[in-house]
Coordinates of all heavy atoms in Angstrom, one line a residue:
M1 N -11.3 13.1 2.9 CA -10.1 12.3 2.9 C -10.6 10.8 3.0 O -11.4 10.5 3.9 CB -9.1 12.7 3.9 CG -7.8 12.0 3.7 SD -6.6 12.6 5.0 CE -6.3 11.0 5.9
I2 N -10.0 9.9 2.2 CA -10.3 8.5 2.3 C -9.1 7.8 2.7 O -8.0 7.9 2.1 CB -10.8 7.9 1.0 CG1 -12.1 8.7 0.5 CG2 -11.1 6.5 1.1 CD1 -12.6 8.2 -0.8
G3 N -9.2 6.9 3.8 CA -8.1 6.1 4.2 C -7.2 6.8 5.1 O -7.3 8.1 5.3
P4 N -6.2 6.1 5.7 CA -5.3 6.7 6.7 C -4.3 7.5 6.1 O -4.0 7.3 4.9 CB -4.7 5.4 7.4 CG -4.8 4.4 6.3 CD -6.0 4.7 5.5
S5 N -3.6 8.5 6.8 CA -2.5 9.2 6.4 C -1.3 8.2 6.4 O -0.9 7.7 7.5 CB -2.2 10.4 7.3 OG -0.8 10.8 7.1
L6 N -0.8 7.9 5.2 CA 0.3 6.9 5.1 C 1.6 7.5 5.7 O 2.5 6.8 6.2 CB 0.5 6.4 3.7 CG -0.7 5.8 3.1 CD1 -0.4 5.3 1.7 CD2 -1.2 4.6 3.9
D7 N 1.7 8.9 5.7 CA 2.9 9.5 6.4 C 2.9 9.2 7.9 O 3.9 9.1 8.5 CB 2.9 11.0 6.1 CG 3.3 11.4 4.7 OD1 4.0 10.6 4.1 OD2 2.8 12.4 4.2
E8 N 1.7 9.2 8.4 CA 1.6 8.9 9.9 C 1.7 7.4 10.2 O 2.3 6.9 11.1 CB 0.3 9.4 10.5 CG 0.4 10.9 10.6 CD -1.0 11.6 11.0 OE1 -1.9 10.9 11.5 OE2 -1.1 12.8 10.7
L9 N 1.0 6.6 9.3 CA 1.0 5.1 9.5 C 2.4 4.5 9.3 O 2.8 3.6 10.0 CB 0.0 4.5 8.5 CG -0.3 3.0 8.8 CD1 -1.1 2.9 10.1 CD2 -1.2 2.5 7.6
Q10 N 3.2 5.1 8.3 CA 4.5 4.6 8.0 C 4.5 3.1 7.8 O 5.3 2.4 8.5 CB 5.6 5.0 9.0 CG 5.7 6.5 9.1 CD 7.0 7.0 9.8 OE1 7.7 6.2 10.4 NE2 7.2 8.3 9.7
P11 N 3.7 2.6 6.9 CA 3.6 1.1 6.7 C 4.9 0.6 6.1 O 5.5 1.2 5.2 CB 2.4 0.9 5.8 CG 2.4 2.2 4.9 CD 2.9 3.3 5.9
D12 N 5.3 -0.6 6.5 CA 6.5 -1.2 5.8 C 5.9 -1.8 4.5 O 4.7 -1.8 4.2 CB 7.2 -2.3 6.6 CG 6.3 -3.5 7.0 OD1 5.3 -3.7 6.4 OD2 6.7 -4.2 8.0
A13 N 6.9 -2.2 3.6 CA 6.5 -2.6 2.2 C 5.5 -3.8 2.2 O 4.6 -3.8 1.4 CB 7.8 -2.9 1.4
A14 N 5.7 -4.7 3.2 CA 4.9 -5.9 3.2 C 3.4 -5.5 3.5 O 2.5 -6.0 3.0 CB 5.4 -6.9 4.3
R15 N 3.2 -4.5 4.4 CA 1.9 -4.0 4.7 C 1.2 -3.3 3.6 O 0.0 -3.5 3.3 CB 2.0 -3.1 5.9 CG 0.7 -2.7 6.5 CD 0.8 -2.1 7.9 NE -0.5 -1.6 8.4 CZ -0.7 -1.0 9.5 NH1 0.4 -0.8 10.3 NH2 -1.9 -0.7 9.9
V16 N 2.0 -2.5 2.8 CA 1.4 -1.8 1.6 C 1.1 -2.9 0.6 O 0.0 -2.8 0.0 CB 2.5 -0.8 1.0 CG1 1.8 -0.2 -0.2 CG2 2.9 0.2 2.0
A17 N 2.0 -3.9 0.4 CA 1.7 -4.9 -0.6 C 0.4 -5.7 -0.3 O -0.4 -6.0 -1.2 CB 2.9 -5.8 -0.8
R18 N 0.3 -6.0 1.0 CA -0.9 -6.7 1.4 C -2.2 -5.9 1.2 O -3.2 -6.5 0.7 CB -0.8 -7.0 2.9 CG -1.7 -8.1 3.4 CD -1.6 -8.4 4.9 NE -0.2 -8.3 5.4 CZ 0.3 -7.5 6.3 NH1 -0.6 -6.7 6.9 NH2 1.5 -7.6 6.7
A19 N -2.2 -4.6 1.5 CA -3.3 -3.8 1.2 C -3.7 -3.7 -0.3 O -4.8 -3.8 -0.7 CB -3.1 -2.4 1.7
L20 N -2.6 -3.6 -1.1 CA -2.8 -3.6 -2.6 C -3.4 -4.9 -3.1 O -4.3 -4.9 -4.0 CB -1.5 -3.2 -3.3 CG -1.0 -1.8 -3.1 CD1 0.4 -1.6 -3.6 CD2 -2.0 -0.8 -3.8
R21 N -2.8 -6.0 -2.6 CA -3.2 -7.3 -3.1 C -4.6 -7.7 -2.7 O -5.5 -8.1 -3.4 CB -2.2 -8.4 -2.7 CG -1.4 -8.9 -3.8 CD -0.5 -10.0 -3.3 NE 0.9 -9.7 -3.5 CZ 1.8 -9.5 -2.6 NH1 1.5 -9.6 -1.3 NH2 3.0 -9.2 -2.9
D22 N -4.9 -7.6 -1.3 CA -6.1 -8.1 -0.8 C -7.2 -7.1 -0.6 O -8.3 -7.4 -0.3 CB -5.8 -8.7 0.6 CG -4.7 -9.8 0.5 OD1 -4.4 -10.3 -0.6 OD2 -4.0 -10.1 1.6
G23 N -6.8 -5.8 -0.6 CA -7.7 -4.7 -0.2 C -7.8 -4.8 1.3 O -7.4 -5.7 2.0
I24 N -8.4 -3.7 1.9 CA -8.6 -3.7 3.4 C -9.7 -2.8 3.7 O -9.7 -1.6 3.2 CB -7.3 -3.4 4.1 CG1 -7.5 -3.3 5.6 CG2 -6.7 -2.1 3.6 CD1 -6.2 -3.2 6.4
G25 N -10.6 -3.2 4.5 CA -11.8 -2.4 4.8 C -12.5 -2.0 3.5 O -12.8 -2.8 2.6
S26 N -12.7 -0.7 3.3 CA -13.4 -0.2 2.0 C -12.4 0.0 0.9 O -12.7 0.5 -0.2 CB -14.2 1.0 2.3 OG -13.4 2.0 2.9
M27 N -11.1 -0.2 1.2 CA -10.1 0.0 0.1 C -10.1 -1.3 -0.8 O -10.0 -2.4 -0.3 CB -8.7 0.1 0.7 CG -7.6 0.1 -0.4 SD -6.0 0.5 0.3 CE -5.0 0.0 -1.1
P28 N -10.3 -1.1 -2.1 CA -10.4 -2.2 -3.0 C -9.1 -2.9 -3.3 O -8.0 -2.2 -3.1 CB -11.0 -1.6 -4.3 CG -10.5 -0.2 -4.3 CD -10.5 0.2 -2.8
S29 N -9.1 -4.1 -3.6 CA -7.9 -4.8 -4.1 C -7.5 -4.3 -5.4 O -8.3 -4.0 -6.3 CB -8.1 -6.3 -4.2 OG -7.1 -6.9 -5.0
F30 N -6.1 -4.2 -5.7 CA -5.6 -3.7 -7.0 C -5.1 -4.9 -7.8 O -4.4 -4.6 -8.8 CB -4.6 -2.6 -6.8 CG -5.2 -1.3 -6.4 CD1 -5.6 -1.0 -5.1 CD2 -5.4 -0.3 -7.4 CE1 -6.1 0.2 -4.8 CE2 -6.0 0.9 -7.0 CZ -6.3 1.2 -5.7
K31 N -5.3 -6.1 -7.3 CA -4.7 -7.3 -7.9 C -5.1 -7.4 -9.4 O -4.3 -7.8 -10.2 CB -5.2 -8.5 -7.2 CG -4.3 -9.7 -7.2 CD -4.6 -10.7 -6.1 CE -6.1 -11.0 -6.0 NZ -6.4 -11.9 -4.9
A32 N -6.3 -7.0 -9.8 CA -6.8 -7.1 -11.2 C -6.1 -6.1 -12.1 O -6.2 -6.2 -13.3 CB -8.3 -7.0 -11.2
H33 N -5.5 -5.1 -11.5 CA -5.0 -4.0 -12.2 C -3.4 -3.9 -12.2 O -2.9 -3.2 -13.0 CB -5.5 -2.6 -11.7 CG -7.0 -2.6 -11.6 ND1 -7.8 -2.5 -12.7 CD2 -7.8 -2.8 -10.5 CE1 -9.1 -2.5 -12.2 NE2 -9.1 -2.7 -11.0
M34 N -2.8 -4.6 -11.3 CA -1.3 -4.5 -11.2 C -0.7 -5.9 -11.1 O -1.3 -6.8 -10.3 CB -1.0 -3.7 -9.9 CG -1.5 -2.3 -9.9 SD -1.2 -1.5 -8.3 CE 0.6 -1.3 -8.4
N35 N 0.4 -6.1 -11.8 CA 1.1 -7.4 -11.6 C 1.9 -7.4 -10.3 O 2.1 -6.3 -9.7 CB 1.8 -7.8 -12.9 CG 3.0 -6.8 -13.2 OD1 3.5 -6.2 -12.2 ND2 3.2 -6.6 -14.4
D36 N 2.5 -8.5 -10.0 CA 3.3 -8.6 -8.7 C 4.5 -7.7 -8.7 O 4.8 -7.1 -7.7 CB 3.8 -10.1 -8.6 CG 2.7 -11.0 -8.1 OD1 1.6 -10.5 -7.7 OD2 3.0 -12.2 -8.1
A37 N 5.1 -7.5 -9.9 CA 6.3 -6.6 -9.9 C 5.8 -5.1 -9.6 O 6.5 -4.4 -8.9 CB 7.0 -6.7 -11.3
D38 N 4.7 -4.7 -10.2 CA 4.2 -3.4 -10.0 C 3.8 -3.2 -8.5 O 4.1 -2.1 -7.9 CB 3.1 -3.1 -10.9 CG 3.5 -2.9 -12.3 OD1 4.7 -2.7 -12.6 OD2 2.6 -3.0 -13.2
I39 N 3.1 -4.2 -7.9 CA 2.7 -4.1 -6.5 C 4.0 -4.0 -5.7 O 4.0 -3.1 -4.7 CB 1.9 -5.3 -6.1 CG1 0.5 -5.2 -6.8 CG2 1.8 -5.5 -4.6 CD1 -0.4 -6.4 -6.5
H40 N 5.0 -4.8 -5.9 CA 6.2 -4.7 -5.2 C 6.9 -3.4 -5.3 O 7.3 -2.8 -4.3 CB 7.2 -5.8 -5.7 CG 8.4 -6.0 -4.9 ND1 8.4 -6.4 -3.6 CD2 9.7 -5.7 -5.2 CE1 9.7 -6.4 -3.1 NE2 10.5 -6.0 -4.1
A41 N 7.0 -2.8 -6.5 CA 7.6 -1.5 -6.7 C 6.9 -0.4 -6.0 O 7.5 0.4 -5.4 CB 7.7 -1.2 -8.2
L42 N 5.5 -0.4 -6.1 CA 4.8 0.6 -5.4 C 4.8 0.5 -3.9 O 4.9 1.5 -3.2 CB 3.3 0.5 -5.9 CG 2.3 1.6 -5.3 CD1 2.8 3.0 -5.5 CD2 0.9 1.4 -5.9
A43 N 4.8 -0.8 -3.4 CA 5.0 -1.0 -2.0 C 6.3 -0.4 -1.4 O 6.3 0.2 -0.4 CB 4.8 -2.5 -1.7
L44 N 7.4 -0.7 -2.2 CA 8.7 -0.2 -1.8 C 8.7 1.4 -1.8 O 9.1 2.0 -0.9 CB 9.8 -0.7 -2.7 CG 10.3 -2.1 -2.4 CD1 11.4 -2.4 -3.4 CD2 10.9 -2.1 -1.0
Y45 N 8.1 1.9 -2.9 CA 8.1 3.4 -3.0 C 7.3 4.0 -1.8 O 7.8 5.0 -1.2 CB 7.4 3.8 -4.3 CG 7.2 5.3 -4.3 CD1 8.2 6.2 -4.5 CD2 5.9 5.8 -4.2 CE1 8.0 7.6 -4.5 CE2 5.6 7.1 -4.1 CZ 6.7 8.0 -4.3 OH 6.5 9.4 -4.2
V46 N 6.1 3.5 -1.6 CA 5.2 4.1 -0.5 C 5.9 3.9 0.9 O 5.9 4.9 1.6 CB 3.8 3.4 -0.5 CG1 3.0 3.9 0.7 CG2 3.1 3.8 -1.8
S47 N 6.5 2.8 1.1 CA 7.1 2.6 2.4 C 8.3 3.5 2.6 O 8.5 4.1 3.7 CB 7.5 1.1 2.7 OG 8.5 0.7 1.7
Q48 N 9.1 3.7 1.6 CA 10.2 4.6 1.7 C 9.8 6.0 1.7 O 10.3 6.8 2.5 CB 11.2 4.3 0.5 CG 11.9 3.0 0.8 CD 12.8 2.6 -0.4 OE1 13.1 3.4 -1.3 NE2 13.2 1.3 -0.4
A49 N 8.8 6.4 0.9 CA 8.4 7.8 0.9 C 7.7 8.2 2.2 O 7.7 9.4 2.5 CB 7.4 8.1 -0.3
S50 N 7.1 7.3 2.9 CA 6.4 7.6 4.1 C 7.3 7.4 5.3 O 6.9 7.6 6.5 CB 5.2 6.7 4.3 OG 5.5 5.4 4.4
G51 N 8.6 7.1 5.1 CA 9.5 7.1 6.2 C 10.0 5.8 6.7 O 11.0 5.7 7.5
Q52 N 9.4 4.7 6.3 CA 9.8 3.4 6.7 C 11.1 3.0 5.9 O 11.2 3.5 4.7 CB 8.8 2.3 6.4 CG 7.9 2.0 7.6 CD 8.6 0.9 8.4 OE1 9.5 0.3 8.0 NE2 8.1 0.8 9.6
K53 N 11.9 2.2 6.4 CA 13.1 1.8 5.7 C 12.8 0.5 4.9 O 12.2 -0.4 5.3 CB 14.3 1.5 6.6 CG 14.8 2.8 7.3 CD 15.5 3.6 6.2 CE 16.0 4.9 6.7 NZ 15.1 6.0 6.7
Ligands
LIG101 C1 -2.8 2.6 -5.2 C2 -2.8 3.5 -4.3 C3 -3.0 3.1 -2.8 C4 -2.1 2.7 -1.9 C5 -0.6 2.6 -2.1 C6 -2.8 2.5 -0.7 C7 -2.2 2.1 0.5 C8 -2.9 1.8 1.7 C9 -2.3 1.3 2.9 C10 -0.8 0.9 3.1 C11 -3.2 1.2 3.8 C12 -3.1 0.7 5.3 C13 -3.3 -0.8 5.3 C14 -3.1 -1.3 6.7 O1 -3.6 -0.7 7.7 O2 -2.5 -2.4 6.9 C15 -4.5 1.7 3.3 C16 -5.7 1.8 3.9 C17 -6.8 2.3 3.3 N1 -7.0 2.7 2.0 FE1 -5.6 2.7 0.6 N2 -4.2 2.7 -0.9 C18 -4.3 3.1 -2.2 C19 -5.5 3.4 -2.8 C20 -6.7 3.6 -2.1 C21 -8.0 3.9 -2.8 C22 -8.2 4.2 -4.2 C23 -8.9 4.0 -1.8 C24 -10.4 4.3 -1.9 C25 -11.1 3.9 -2.8 C26 -8.3 3.6 -0.5 C27 -8.9 3.5 0.7 C28 -8.3 3.1 1.9 C29 -9.0 2.9 3.1 C30 -10.5 3.3 3.4 C31 -8.1 2.4 4.1 C32 -8.4 2.0 5.5 C33 -8.9 0.6 5.5 C34 -9.2 0.1 7.0 O3 -8.3 0.2 7.8 O4 -10.3 -0.3 7.2 N3 -7.0 3.3 -0.8 N4 -4.2 2.1 1.9

C-alpha cells in the first residue's frame, strides 16, 4: 500500500487539493495532468467520500 488511508485521514477538500497540486512526500504533483476545476472536483469527492463534510 502506498500513502495513508484516506478513510482514516478524512482530509478536508483543501488538504486533498493541496496534495494534488503540490505533491507531498513521495506523492507526485498532479498539476501537469489536471486543471483547477478537475482538482477541485476530485478534492470535493475525496473529502466527502472519506467522511469529511
Ligand atoms: C489522484 C489520486 C490521489 C489522491 C486524491 C491522493 C490524495 C492524497 C492525500 C489527501 C494525501 C494526504 C496529504 C496530507 O497529509 O496532507 C496523500 C498522501 C500521500 N499520497 Fe496520495 N493521492 C493520490 C495519488 C497518489 C499516488 C498515485 C501516489 C503514489 C505514487 C500517492 C502517494 C501518496 C503518499 C506516499 C502520501 C503520503 C505523503 C507523506 O505524508 O509524506 N498518492 N494523498
Side-chain angles (χ1 to χ4, degrees):
M1 191 176 115
I2 300 178
S5 162
L6 301 181
D7 286 329
E8 284 169 22
L9 192 66
Q10 299 198 350
D12 63 20
R15 188 168 176 178
V16 181
R18 198 179 321 121
L20 290 171
R21 251 186 237 113
D22 303 340
I24 179 169
S26 54
M27 175 172 163
S29 165
F30 284 81
K31 210 164 41 183
H33 309 282
M34 299 176 71
N35 63 33
D36 282 350
D38 288 344
I39 287 178
H40 184 68
L42 180 56
L44 277 181
Y45 169 75
V46 170
S47 63
Q48 287 172 15
S50 66
Q52 263 277 346
K53 291 288 176 276

